[in-house]
Structure formats: C-alpha cells, structure tokens
C-alpha cells in the first residue's frame, strides 16, 4: 500500500518540522524583545504598570508564554527524533530520513538551550526589582 | 600555474573541449574587468583584503611604536586617533569579513559540486563595491581626513559639533557603500548553498564550512540593516541637521549604541563563524577522520547565529539601563559560550580519536584553539555585569577582543591560506618556512596581547595616544610593542611563503592532503568549469567515498556533464534532489560600471556635490534596469527543459 502523504499532510508535516527546529529560537526572540523593551520603556516613563497589569506580571508573561512555546517545540523535536530512528533502504529515503533526523537532533539541543536562557531570564525577574538601575 | 590533473574524468574529450569553450575566458584586459568566475573573484577578494590587512597592520605598528614608552610624541593625537580608528574599522570591515568571503567565494561552489555561484554577476559586483569602498575609506588617510572617533563611532562624540570635518562622513558613507557588497555576497551564498548543491547532497551531507558560510550570510542579512540605519541617521544628523541622536531635540544618544551593537555583536560571530568552518574543514585532512559530532557542530553554528542577536546589551552594561534588562542579556551572553564550547570539544575529540599529521595548517588550528579559548574565557568574564563595569574602556577589553579576533579569525585564516594554497595556485608551499611563520606569529601574538590584560587591570584606559609613567604600565607596554614586531615578522614570513610557493613551489596534485570534501576531487587549480562531471553525492565525505568518487569517472552520466553552454544543476533545498539545469550568465562589464557609478554617488555625497550625486544615482538606476531587463530568448535557451 502506498504511504505517500497528501499535500495538506505534507504542509502540516513541514510546518511541524520547522516548529520543532526553530520554535524555541522564535519564542526566545519574542521573550527577549518583549521583556527588555517593556522593562526599559516602562521604567523610563517612571511607571510600574503596563496597562492594567503590574510591570512584574507583564514581564512574567513575557517569560512564561515563550517558555511554554519552547517546551512544545522541544516535544515536537523529540517526537521527530523517535520517528526517524530507523533508516529505510535506498538512497533517496535514506537521505530524506537522514536529514530529518539531523534536524531533529539540532532542534532538541536548540530548544533545550533556548529554554535555559528563558528560565534564567525568569530567575532574574524573581530576584531583581524591575526598575532598579 | 600547475597543470596536474585529477583522475581521468568521465567526460569525453569533445565534452571537455566544449566545456572549455563555454566556461573559459581568454586572457585580455576586458576579461580581467568583466570576469564573473567565482574562483578569480575569490582570489581577488583574498588579495585585496590582504592589502587592506597590511595597511591596518602598519597602522597598528605605528601605534605600538608610539606606546612603547610613556610620554612619547612620535604621533600627534590627531594622527593617533585616525590610525586607531582606521586600524579597527579596516580590520573588521575591510579585512576579516572580505577575507573569509574570499575563501567562501572560491570554495563554496567547489565544495558543493557546482560550476559557479548562483548569481555570478552579482558576485563580481560585490567585489568591485568592496574594492571601491575600501579605497574610498583609505584614501582619506593621506589627506588627514580619515575617520577618527573609534570603530564604533559613539555619538555625541561623532556629531558635527564634536567631530567637525569629513572624518566621520567618510566613515558613515564608506560603511554604507561597503554594506551593499556584503549584503549582495550574503544573498549569493545563501542561494548558492540552498539551490546549487550536487545531486544527493542532502542537508546532513553539507560540509561544515558551507554550513558556517550560510549561517554567517544569514547573520549579515539580519544584522547589517541596523548598522546601515545607524550610519544613514548619523550622516543625516551631521550633514543635514536632523536630530536622531540629539536628546536636546527629542533624539536619543543611546539609540546609536543599541543599533550599532545589534549589528556589532553578531558581527563578532560574522567574523569568527566562517573561521570556525575553516577549522572544521582543515581537521579531517590532518586527523584522518571526520569531525566528531557533525550534527552537534551544526547545532552549535545555528545556535550561535541566533543567540548572537540577543547579547548586544553586554556592550552597554555601563550605560545605566535597568538591572533586569541586563539580566536578560547576561543570561544569553553566558549561555552562548555553551555552543562555542561544544565546537571546541568536538575538535579536541576529533584530534584525540584521529591520527595527527602535524603540518602547518594543523599548527595554526592548534594555535587557534589555545588563543580562542583564552579569549572566550575573558569573554565569559565580561558576561558578568559586575566585572564588566569594572574593566570597561580599559586595556583589558583590548586584550580580550584581540584574543578573540586574532585567535578566532586570523589563526584560522592563516591555516586556510596554507591548506588551500595548493588548490588555489596549483603550487605547494615550503613547510619549513611555514613552521617558522607559525611560531613567530604565535609567540608575537601572545607577547603583544597578554600584557594588555595586566596593564588593563592596573587601570590603563584604552584609546590614549600617550600615557604617564604609572606603576606597571611602561614596562608591559614595551613588552607588548616588542611582541608586535615579532608578530609582524611572522606575518612577513607568511607573505614570503605565499610568493615563494607561487613562483617556485612544486606543482600540487589534486588532493595533496587526502581531504574529504569535493574541491579535492578536481584539478589544482580547478578548470574554469570546476568539474568535468558534476558529482552524485552519497555521503558526508564524498572524496573518501568510492561511490561518490566514481560518479565523476566511470559512473558519469550526460545529465551531470552538461557540456553545451554554461550550465549547472539546480537541486532541492533539503534533500539535494535534482530539479533542473540552469543557464549561467557570461562575463559582463555591467558589475564594474554599476560599482563605479555608486563610487561617484558616494564621493559626491561626501563632498556635497549633490547635482553630481543625482546624476550618478540616475546612472545607477539605469544600469540596474539594463542589467535586469529580460532578454528575448527561445525557451530552450532559458533553461526550461
């Protein structure tokens, strides 16, 4: 029986692959830009609130949400790694699975690294007052 | 040049003659100016960047001579300011990146089994712009109008009131001009590496050097706009009285620093990353095995390329931003050492598990590891805000970044020169001369820069044209100056070694080292068409792999010879699956004309000849229009097959 996926499944698979590889990186970029800019701009204005939220809670959201997104990417990368454990015969399938497995390994380590940076940013939020110069 | 040939190609004599006719360039003045051959352009990048390196190095020697003794008056403060600014600016922008782009230009198509870069005319244009931008900046020095406020040009020091004259206009316009070349080159590298890889070269079979060049190119694309914006705003402030950086009129002085370092820190990795790729390319040949942990090294490159954009504020730890903001950047600055460390351990493991062949390129790689690790160690110290604030603007910083940049870029560049010289020139270098060059360079480098850690900690500030006789300063400065002369002699021996190889070296075989990547499967130097038969790749080490090697000889097929015209293969981005053949452009004078028109534009802007600038701008637009105008050709000729 043929196991070729349809175009929608291929698109979804492709997006999931790139989420697994780069999801943590994008989440960390959002965390950094949001956390830093909210902190610096709010403090520069002499305020301790962002809209209705206290500044610490707003920055906390910029830590927790990206951390969850990175965790999701890490799980997706781990899933991809498990699914590419067996190498099929033939040059073409071997190449395809081989590069997917390499991307899975890269994704796992990238996501672990970015999760660590986000968590360290969260630790800074716990120990430092947001506007202390 | 040597005429030693690779093993019998799988192409017939007629095919070879047609390939030569399609790709060869008859030596003439016109072909010198109009060439689009990536190998010739790559060699030009290497030679031109080396010339700028010599100028920047001589500037450094003049400064070290001045600083040998306290209260020295060899150079005036004005001359010193221009020399240290041009030294830094040229080493960063006109030597390190273009030199590594030169290796990329020469090697990437060869390593991926292609016949040229994806956009050969854009490649030629990039080189001409680089040459003219470099001359534009250096030409200001004899007139006493060179940039004079440091390579990072902080406002308000660089605004018109504090630095009058053309100095910083040369800086901002020169870097804007140069940025066009760097951007064009980066786009070309990315498309070449993604679309022109030989069939079978899936992402997990791409050489680490190519990964490094692609990661660098992506960093350039994302980082350079910040520097361009910064320089454009600075020029507008200085020339037309805008107030982007003027707090008195609603501007912000820190805006310059943010934009500069959003570019500036990734730029450290833009310089170092291709050099790390060189190390990963050199090691397999001299350890007789592939680099340990290929996937982890790729991960390390990808993560450094991304995280490098989130560490810029560690250059601004003394600017009074909130501590929590520092915390986010401090976290990233600390964690970025992990992927760097992974690469170091991967190389050490490769050397430990392999069989070392201690030739000159490997000596420079070992010198790189020692020096770069020391630079990385002090770099980790800077990631800690409290320490950073204590040593900011002292000579400790100068010591740190010279360990990182000489360790991380110059040692690998020298390794690359010795490693690929046989491929580039077709001649072998003199091993004994190379060893002397290494030991003098290695010793000179450490004797020059290690003492700077000490007198930096003793409180000597950087960027002073002379200094009082404070305890601990004079003696160590004298040692550093002596070291700089030893270092210069080492570099002179490298130059002599290259000239000796080109003139008297014995002919190089196609693969003198037993390298693993595809450039060693073809002639030294390669023919204009690179490969008579494009390879079918079956592994990460195609030159060590019998199946990949025979795909270029007995296993050759017509669809990989493509002897008619100038054609190469396009393949899919992820799996290297054959897609179609593409026609490559012939040599052209358009790149040179476009670069010349841009030179006129930037020179006119510098001197305020605005009508001339408008005319030059129109010529630029017209040349681009002619360049891009579609030619009417039959479908078959357009590569639709």
């Amino acid at each position: 029986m043929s196991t070729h996926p349809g175009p929608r499944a291929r698109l979804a698979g492709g997006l999931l692959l790139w989420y697994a590889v780069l999801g943590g990186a994008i989440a960390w970029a959002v965390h950094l830009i949001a956390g830093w800019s909210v902190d610096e701009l709010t403090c520069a204005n002499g305020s301790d609130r962002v809209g209705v939220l206290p500044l610490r809670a707003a920055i906390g959201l910029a830590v927790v949400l990206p951390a969850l997104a990175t965790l999701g990417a890490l799980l997706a990368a781990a899933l991809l790694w498990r699914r590419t454990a067996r190498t099929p015969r033939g040059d073409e399938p071997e190449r395809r699975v081989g590069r997917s497995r390499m991307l899975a390994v890269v994704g796992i380590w990238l996501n672990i690294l970015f999760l660590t940076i986000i968590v360290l940013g969260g630790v800074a939020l716990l120990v430092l007052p947001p506007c202390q110069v | 040049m040597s005429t030693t040939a690779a093993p019998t190609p799988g192409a017939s004599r007629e095919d070879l003659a047609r390939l030569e006719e399609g790709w060869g360039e008859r030596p003439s003045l016109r072909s010198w100016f109009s060439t689009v051959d990536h190998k010739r352009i790559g060699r030009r990048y290497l030679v031109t960047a080396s010339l700028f390196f010599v100028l920047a190095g001589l500037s450094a020697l003049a400064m070290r001579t001045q600083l040998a003794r306290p209260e020295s008056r060899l150079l005036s403060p004005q001359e010193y300011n221009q020399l240290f600014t041009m030294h830094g600016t040229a080493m960063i922008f006109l030597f390190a990146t273009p030199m590594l782009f030169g290796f990329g230009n020469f090697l990437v198509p060869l390593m991926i089994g292609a016949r040229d870069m994806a956009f050969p005319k854009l490649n030629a244009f990039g080189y001409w712009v680089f040459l003219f931008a470099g001359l534009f900046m250096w030409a200001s020095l004899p007139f006493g109008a060179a940039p004079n406020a440091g390579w990072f040009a902080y406002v308000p020091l660089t605004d018109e009131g504090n630095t009058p004259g053309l100095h910083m206009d040369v800086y901002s316009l020169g870097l804007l001009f140069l940025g066009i070349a760097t951007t064009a080159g980066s786009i070309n590298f990315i498309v070449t590496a993604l679309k022109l890889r030989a069939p079978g070269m899936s992402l997990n079979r791409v050489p680490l050097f190519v990964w490094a060049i692609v990661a660098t190119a992506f960093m350039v694309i994302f980082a350079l706009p910040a520097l361009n914006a910064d320089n454009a705003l600075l020029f507008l402030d200085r020339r037309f009285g805008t107030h982007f950086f003027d707090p008195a009129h609603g501007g912000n002085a820190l805006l310059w620093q943010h934009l500069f370092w959003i570019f500036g820190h990734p730029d450290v990795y833009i310089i170092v990353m291709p050099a790390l790729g060189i190390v990963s390319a050199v090691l397999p040949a001299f350890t007789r095995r592939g680099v340990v942990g290929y996937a982890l090294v790729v991960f390390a490159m990808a993560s450094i390329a991304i995280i490098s954009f989130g560490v810029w504020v560690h250059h601004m730890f003394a600017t009074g931003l909130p501590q929590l903001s520092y915390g986010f950047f401090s976290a990233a600055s600390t964690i970025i050492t992990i992927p760097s460390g992974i690469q170091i351990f991967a190389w050490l493991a490769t050397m430990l598990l392999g069989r070392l062949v201690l030739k000159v390129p490997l000596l420079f790689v070992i010198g790189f590891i020692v020096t770069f690790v020391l630079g990385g160690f002090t770099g980790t110290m800077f990631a800690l805000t409290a320490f950073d604030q204590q040593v900011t603007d002292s000579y400790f910083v100068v010591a740190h970044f010279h360990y990182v940049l000489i360790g991380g870029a110059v040692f690998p560049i020298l390794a690359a020169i010795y490693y690929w010289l046989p491929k580039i020139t077709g001649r072998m270098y003199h091993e004994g001369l190379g060893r002397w060059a290494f030991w003098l360079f290695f010793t000179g480098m450490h004797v020059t820069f290690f003492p700077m850690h000490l007198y930096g900690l003793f409180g000597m500030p950087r960027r002073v044209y002379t200094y009082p006789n404070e305890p601990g300063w004079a003696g160590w400065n004298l040692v550093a100056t002596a070291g700089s002369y030893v270092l210069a002699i080492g570099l002179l021996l490298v130059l002599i070694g290259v000239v000796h190889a080109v003139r008297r070296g014995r002919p190089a075989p196609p693969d003198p080292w037993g390298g693993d990547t595809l450039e060693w499967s073809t002639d030294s130097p390669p023919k204009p068409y690179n490969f008579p038969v494009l390879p079918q790749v079956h592994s990460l080490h195609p030159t060590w792999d019998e199946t990949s090697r025979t795909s270029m000889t007995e296993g050759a097929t017509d669809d990989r010879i493509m002897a008619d015209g100038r054609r190469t293969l396009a393949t899919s981005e992820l799996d290297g699956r054959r897609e179609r053949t593409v026609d490559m452009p012939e040599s052209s004078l358009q790149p040179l004309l476009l670069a010349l028109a841009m030179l006129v534009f930037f020179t006119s802007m510098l001197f305020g000849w605005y009508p001339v600038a408008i005319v030059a701008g129109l010529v630029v637009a017209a040349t681009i229009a002619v360049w891009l105008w579609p030619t009417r050709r039959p479908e078959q000729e357009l590569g639709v097959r």
Side-chain angles (χ1 to χ4, degrees), chain B residues 370-389:
Chain B
V370 172
T371 314
F372 189 60
V373 166
L374 286 169
F377 182 73
T378 49
T380 315
M381 293 158 77
F382 281 118
L384 308 172
T385 314
F387 179 81
D388 183 294
Q389 288 176 340

Side-chain angles (χ1 to χ4, degrees), chain B residues 385-523:
Chain B
T385 314
F387 179 81
D388 183 294
Q389 288 176 340
Q390 293 304 311
V391 292
T392 285
D393 278 338
S394 77
Y395 256 92
F396 193 91
V397 182
V398 181
H400 159 71
F401 69 68
H402 279 92
Y403 265 77
V404 170
L405 293 177
I406 295 182
V410 182
F411 272 99
I413 283 171
L414 293 173
I417 288 173
Y418 284 102
Y419 181 57
W420 281 299
L421 197 68
K423 184 55 62 184
I424 294 171
T425 65
R427 298 282 174 180
M428 297 302 290
Y429 64 84
H430 189 283
E431 185 72 21
L433 205 55
R435 283 172 189 268
W436 270 102
F438 167 75
W439 284 111
L440 284 169
F441 180 74
F442 182 81
T443 310
M445 189 272 153
H446 288 276
V447 174
T448 306
F449 295 104
F450 192 82
M452 292 184 189
H453 292 107
L454 302 177
Y455 58 82
L457 288 175
F458 298 154
M460 181 162 167
R462 62 193 285 205
R463 296 180 164 172
V464 286
Y465 88 104
T466 191
Y467 55 92
N469 195 3
E470 295 279 337
W473 291 11
W476 285 119
N477 264 291
L478 187 61
V479 171
T481 300
S484 70
Y485 278 90
V486 177
L487 187 155
I489 294 169
L491 288 170
L492 186 65
L493 282 191
V494 173
L495 179 65
I496 292 171
V498 171
V499 174
H500 177 269
V502 171
R503 289 181 170 264
R504 289 165 184 252
R506 64 187 164 81
D511 187 6
W513 314 121
D516 65 330
T517 36
L518 282 171
E519 78 274 24
W520 303 111
S521 299
T522 192
D523 296 347

Side-chain angles (χ1 to χ4, degrees), chain B residues 98-172:
Chain B
M99 190 79 183
L100 294 160
F101 269 36
F103 282 113
N105 250 298
F106 191 93
L107 292 165
V108 166
L110 288 167
M111 281 188 171
I112 62 172
R115 288 199 165 135
D116 207 323
M117 297 283 281
F119 306 116
K121 281 166 69 176
L122 189 68
N123 203 23
F125 167 70
Y127 167 74
W128 291 118
V129 171
F130 157 58
L131 172 69
F132 294 151
L135 294 176
F136 178 90
M137 296 188 80
W138 275 111
S140 61
L141 191 62
F143 298 101
N148 59 353
W151 84 277
F152 45 66
Y154 278 178
V155 295
L157 176 64
T158 49
D159 67 27
E160 181 63 18
N162 292 314
T163 310
L166 290 179
H167 306 274
M168 296 315 292
D169 298 330
V170 172
Y171 174 92
S172 55

